[in-house]
Amino acid sequence: HTHELEQPFIVIATQNPLEHFGTYPLPESQMDRFLLRLRMGYPSASDERRVVTSALLEDAVEAGIDRAVVDHAEVAAIQAACARVRVEEALVDYAGRVVAATRESPFLALGISPRGFQGWYRAAKALALLGGRDFAVPDDFKETAIPALAHRLVLAGGSAGEPLGRAREEAERIMNELLERIPIAA
């Protein structure tokens, strides 16, 4: 049975550190479905103090801020604007060379999939739009590479018992090396 969902439909997920009870790494096929992996870290001392000493949700409801920040039409308009962001063929070729290098790397058992490449392309276009531009530049791809790609990489020779944090750091290191090594112009 197909269940139609109101558009846009967005899923945001969180993952606790591996040491926490009940948290297990996702298989590669599931990790590949996430557009970005972002690290939030801990809040600043002042922000954390504010969270601890106030009831932010209750304060927001009392202040009448218990509604969505944007509505479906606004999200759809942003998505349409993002789709119109232009990317020069030379920049797509550069991104393709980076993706191909992940597939050929002796340090990786699994490189970036076509879905991952497409996600990176879309993330770079979104960053260009956030920058107030209707065209992408190389820095849009470089700045989105780690959040859009590193979580999709599988290290060569890795073991199931390897600490997750170390694997993440190594994947990011390899990705950064590829970005530094591969020239934007062919």
Side-chain angles (χ1 to χ4, degrees):
H1 297 283
T2 300
H3 300 279
E4 293 293 325
L5 300 171
E6 188 174 354
Q7 293 298 318
F9 177 72
I10 300 169
V11 175
I12 298 174
T14 62
Q15 182 178 16
N16 293 321
L18 188 61
E19 301 82 35
H20 287 88
F21 178 75
T23 302
Y24 302 95
L26 293 173
E28 293 84 14
S29 61
Q30 290 180 12
M31 286 299 289
D32 196 37
R33 286 173 169 76
F34 287 91
L35 177 63
L36 302 171
R37 181 185 73 203
L38 305 173
R39 293 182 190 195
M40 293 185 58
Y42 290 107
S44 68
S46 62
D47 287 343
E48 189 168 30
R49 186 179 198 292
R50 216 177 49 147
V51 168
V52 169
T53 61
S54 70
L56 292 178
L57 182 58
E58 291 85 359
D59 292 347
V61 171
E62 281 183 29
I65 311 174
D66 59 337
R67 61 174 177 74
V69 177
V70 294
D71 62 25
H72 286 88
E74 290 169 308
V75 172
I78 293 167
Q79 287 176 327
C82 197
R84 292 189 300 270
V85 170
R86 294 183 324 273
V87 181
E88 295 293 328
E89 289 298 318
L91 195 47
V92 177
D93 291 342
Y94 161 72
R97 290 193 309 276
V98 171
V99 167
T102 67
R103 296 172 184 165
E104 298 162 3
S105 172
F107 304 109
L108 299 172
L110 186 63
I112 302 302
S113 70
R115 180 196 316 255
F117 189 0
Q118 183 181 49
W120 185 27
Y121 177 82
R122 289 177 174 173
K125 289 175 70 168
L127 186 60
L129 186 66
L130 285 172
R133 290 177 275 104
D134 66 351
F135 59 92
V137 296
D139 282 347
D140 295 323
F141 280 85
K142 288 188 173 200
E143 288 181 40
T144 55
I146 298 299
L149 302 177
H151 69 284
R152 302 170 194 271
L153 300 175
V154 177
L155 302 177
S159 65
E162 185 173 11
L164 188 58
R166 189 166 42 223
R168 283 182 183 163
E169 289 173 8
E170 182 65 10
E172 290 176 8
R173 185 191 65 73
I174 291 168
M175 200 68 243
N176 276 321
E177 285 181 5
L178 292 175
L179 292 169
E180 288 176 18
R181 181 172 51 90
I182 298 171
I184 293 169

